[in-house]
């Protein structure tokens, strides 16, 4: 059955229950937006490639001037800040890799705290703003973090992770809340009036969201996890043919189930690039089983940053111009949609069980969290899932025959 046809790639994507959805899970990165922004990616800096930006003469505060004056000294510092070799040499056996789990506050760290996070940014202006924030008072934590690992882990980053005796910093968030944040982010990204109008020239994920989810809610996605097929999954009024609607129901349902079970970089983004994915990339059960693990909780982001900075030899005093700031990808403007019924929350709890195991492993290994803090993080999920222990959640999900299929 034809699920999607897109003339942009001159490709027809086929769906069949006998064909793995890996066919669809070929991430089409860097197609439109990166192409448009490619000229903004800064080239490697050298003494002959120094950019000076004149500050706004109407600005009256020292902070604004400090953020906007890019001097030759500042530019030379950027080469040092982005050199993993220099950090490994300067801080042997102390360096840290930031495992940037999506929808957990990692961009706040990248923009305001970690120089390595600034190095990973692509937009030239945004990148320089980031360095200016970090260099106001660079923390010890920033000096130790080698690189930011987010989504696709390219060969050079895999080599650094494997070859250096580094420790790991994970950004984490209560798993059900992370799912809700992912849905709001994806819905606003793929289902806005502009992206729907341009969907024929955009990557496949836009087509999938338009066909299956743009006219539906977070609750509808959760209901697709039911062990038996409920009626009226798909409510797009543009589809009136009963046979076509049933076909789309089945296809969307199977795609959702795969989205919760697959691990890696797919067109379901941060849902599949999950705790299991980053835990595997860190190789915490094999090559780096003795590594020190730190966890920055979204729910306690700045207090955790202060604690971790002190643990690695810093003073925990971040600049007053950055402390408490938040980078949210515009999510503060999104509709505050959440799962609305206990049943739908329970379905997602069961669907995320495997990922919750990795989440628990990260928390258990987190050296900066005490027993009480770890227990409270567990209780956040227990309360959402209406259970009092992990064993109770496993039993209820098993009895309800919800995932894995």
């Amino acid at each position: 059955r034809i699920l999607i046809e897109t003339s942009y790639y001159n490709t027809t994507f086929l769906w069949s229950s006998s064909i793995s959805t890996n066919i669809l899970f070929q991430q089409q990165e860097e197609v439109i937006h990166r192409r448009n922004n490619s000229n903004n990616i800064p080239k490697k800096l050298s003494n002959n490639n120094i950019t000076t930006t004149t500050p706004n003469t109407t600005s009256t505060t020292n902070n604004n001037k400090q953020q906007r004056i890019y001097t030759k000294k500042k530019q030379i510092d950027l080469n040092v800040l982005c050199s993993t070799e220099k950090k490994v040499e300067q801080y042997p056996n102390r360096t840290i890799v930031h495992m940037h789990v999506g929808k957990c506050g990692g961009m706040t760290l990248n923009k305001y705290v970690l120089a390595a996070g600034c190095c990973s940014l692509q937009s030239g202006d945004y990148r320089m703003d980031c360095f200016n924030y970090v260099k106001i008072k660079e923390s010890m934590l920033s000096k130790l973090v080698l690189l930011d690992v987010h989504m696709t882990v390219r060969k050079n980053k895999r080599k650094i992770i494997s070859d250096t005796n580094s420790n790991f910093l994970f950004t984490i968030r209560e798993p059900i809340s992370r799912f809700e944040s992912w849905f709001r982010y994806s819905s606003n990204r793929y289902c806005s009036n502009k992206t729907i109008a341009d969907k024929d020239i955009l990557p496949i994920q836009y087509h999938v969201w338009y066909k299956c989810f743009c006219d539906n809610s977070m609750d509808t996605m959760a209901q697709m996890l039911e062990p038996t097929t409920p009626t009226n999954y798909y409510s797009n009024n543009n589809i009136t043919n009963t046979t076509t609607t049933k076909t789309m129901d089945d296809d969307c349902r199977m795609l959702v189930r795969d989205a919760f079970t697959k691990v890696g970089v797919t067109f379901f983004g941060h849902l599949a690039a999950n705790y299991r994915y980053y835990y595997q990339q860190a190789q915490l059960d094999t090559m780096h089983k003795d590594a020190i693990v730190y966890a920055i909780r979204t729910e306690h982001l700045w207090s955790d940053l202060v604690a971790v900075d002190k643990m690695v030899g810093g003073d925990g005093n971040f600049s007053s111009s950055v402390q408490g700031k938040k980078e949210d990808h515009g999510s503060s403007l999104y509709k505050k949609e959440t799962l609305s019924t206990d049943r739908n929350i329970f379905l997602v709890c069961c669907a995320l069980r495997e990922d919750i195991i990795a989440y628990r492993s990260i928390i258990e290994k987190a050296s900066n969290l005490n027993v009480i803090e770890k227990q409270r993080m567990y209780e956040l999920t227990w309360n959402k899932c209406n259970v009092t222990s992990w064993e109770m959640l496993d039993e209820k999900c098993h009895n309800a025959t919800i995932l894995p299929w």
Side-chain angles (χ1 to χ4, degrees):
R1 297 197 302 274
I2 296 176
L3 173 65
I4 295 164
E5 182 172 337
T6 165
S7 58
Y8 183 72
Y9 293 106
N10 193 27
T11 304
T12 299
F13 293 86
L14 300 179
W15 165 263
S16 168
S17 59
S18 63
I19 300 177
S20 168
T21 51
N22 280 330
I23 295 173
L24 299 177
F25 288 162
Q26 303 301 314
Q27 181 74 351
Q28 302 291 338
E29 296 182 48
E30 306 173 346
V31 175
I32 299 297
H33 302 296
R34 290 192 182 184
R35 181 184 298 162
N36 292 340
N37 293 329
S38 60
N39 292 331
N40 293 329
I41 301 176
K43 299 178 180 179
K44 184 176 180 181
L45 296 170
S46 67
N47 290 337
N48 297 323
N49 185 24
I50 303 300
T51 303
T52 302
T53 301
T54 304
N56 188 339
T57 56
T58 62
S59 175
T60 58
T61 64
N62 290 332
N63 282 342
N64 285 342
K65 290 181 180 179
Q66 190 172 14
Q67 291 168 17
R68 292 296 178 182
I69 297 175
Y70 308 148
T71 64
K72 183 174 180 179
K73 180 179 183 299
K74 177 85 67 179
Q75 295 281 4
I76 294 172
D77 284 344
L78 302 191
N79 290 320
V80 176
L81 286 169
C82 293
S83 172
T84 58
E85 293 84 0
K86 291 183 186 301
K87 287 191 176 185
V88 171
E89 181 180 336
Q90 187 173 0
Y91 305 106
N93 301 321
R94 295 182 61 200
T95 53
I96 300 170
V97 174
H98 175 205
M99 306 307 287
H100 179 173
V101 183
K103 313 317 299 172
C104 295
M107 274 303 295
T108 297
L109 272 66
N110 280 358
K111 184 173 181 180
Y112 298 115
V113 179
L114 304 178
C118 301
C119 298
S120 70
L121 299 175
Q122 294 177 332
S123 170
D125 291 341
Y126 197 61
R127 198 172 188 243
M128 288 304 303
D129 283 344
C130 173
F131 278 119
N132 283 319
Y133 276 122
V134 170
K135 286 299 291 179
I136 290 172
K137 181 182 183 299
E138 187 178 10
S139 63
M140 190 66 210
L141 177 60
S142 174
K143 294 174 181 178
L144 293 176
V145 172
L146 280 179
L147 72 159
D148 172 75
V149 175
H150 186 59
M151 298 298 286
T152 302
V153 184
R154 304 194 185 281
K155 184 176 180 180
N156 63 322
K157 288 192 175 183
R158 287 199 302 270
K159 180 174 175 57
I160 292 172
I161 294 172
S162 298
D163 292 353
T164 60
N165 191 23
S166 292
N167 302 309
F168 294 90
L169 176 75
F170 283 83
T171 46
I172 63 172
R173 181 180 195 168
E174 192 286 312
I176 312 305
S177 296
R178 195 181 87 90
F179 162 77
E180 292 173 332
S181 177
W182 163 79
F183 186 94
R184 290 191 295 266
Y185 168 78
S186 300
S187 180
N188 277 271
R189 180 178 183 182
Y190 300 131
C191 300
S192 70
N193 291 334
K194 182 180 186 304
T195 56
I196 288 176
D198 293 340
K199 66 179 175 61
D200 288 337
I201 61 169
L202 291 171
I204 186 174
Q205 52 264 45
Y206 289 82
H207 293 261
V208 172
W209 274 83
Y210 177 71
K211 291 292 186 184
C212 293
F213 309 118
C214 286
D215 290 327
N216 290 308
S217 66
M218 188 184 299
D219 285 310
T220 303
M221 179 176 280
Q223 290 161 13
M224 291 182 185
L225 299 169
E226 284 282 7
T228 56
T229 306
T231 58
N232 298 325
Y233 273 136
Y234 191 63
S235 62
N236 189 332
N237 294 327
N238 294 327
I239 296 181
T240 57
N241 182 279
T242 303
T243 302
T244 304
T245 304
K246 180 66 167 59
T247 298
M248 287 307 304
D249 288 347
D250 291 343
D251 288 339
C252 294
R253 183 174 186 241
M254 292 303 296
L255 285 170
V256 168
R257 291 187 171 199
D258 267 2
F260 277 90
T261 54
K262 297 289 183 183
V263 178
V265 180
T266 74
F267 61 67
F268 277 104
H270 299 308
L271 183 62
N274 48 27
Y275 292 117
R276 285 181 288 171
Y277 173 70
Y278 290 100
Y279 191 89
Q280 291 169 6
Q281 296 299 322
Q283 305 174 70
L284 290 179
D285 288 335
T286 53
M287 182 176 293
H288 298 121
K289 61 183 179 180
D290 295 324
I292 299 172
V293 174
Y294 308 98
I296 303 298
R297 301 166 291 172
T298 306
E299 297 84 354
H300 307 278
L301 190 144
W302 280 101
S303 60
D304 282 351
L305 281 170
V306 169
V308 172
D309 187 55
K310 290 180 178 179
M311 288 185 69
V312 298
D315 57 15
N317 293 321
F318 294 92
S319 168
S320 59
S321 64
V322 302
Q323 190 158 0
K325 284 185 177 292
K326 177 182 177 183
E327 177 65 28
D328 62 7
H329 293 288
S331 63
S332 58
L333 304 176
Y334 298 165
K335 177 184 176 183
K336 301 303 181 187
E337 182 183 5
T338 59
L339 294 166
S340 63
T341 69
D342 289 343
R343 177 62 180 176
N344 289 340
I345 294 172
F346 175 67
L347 289 167
V348 173
C349 289
C350 293
L352 291 175
R353 272 186 301 163
E354 294 295 326
D355 204 43
I356 287 174
I357 292 174
Y359 168 75
R360 290 164 53 189
S361 296
I362 294 169
I363 291 179
E364 284 300 316
K365 291 177 179 291
S367 59
N368 60 303
L369 302 180
N370 60 39
V371 174
I372 294 175
E373 289 170 325
K374 293 175 181 179
Q375 180 71 14
R376 287 176 178 167
M377 290 304 292
Y378 297 157
E379 289 173 352
L380 287 177
T381 303
W382 295 348
N383 291 337
K384 283 182 177 289
C385 299
N386 195 26
V387 297
T388 56
S389 67
W390 299 122
E391 291 76 16
M392 185 177 179
L393 177 62
D394 287 341
E395 182 179 358
K396 289 181 69 174
C397 292
H398 177 75
N399 292 339
T401 63
I402 301 171
L403 276 173
W405 294 282

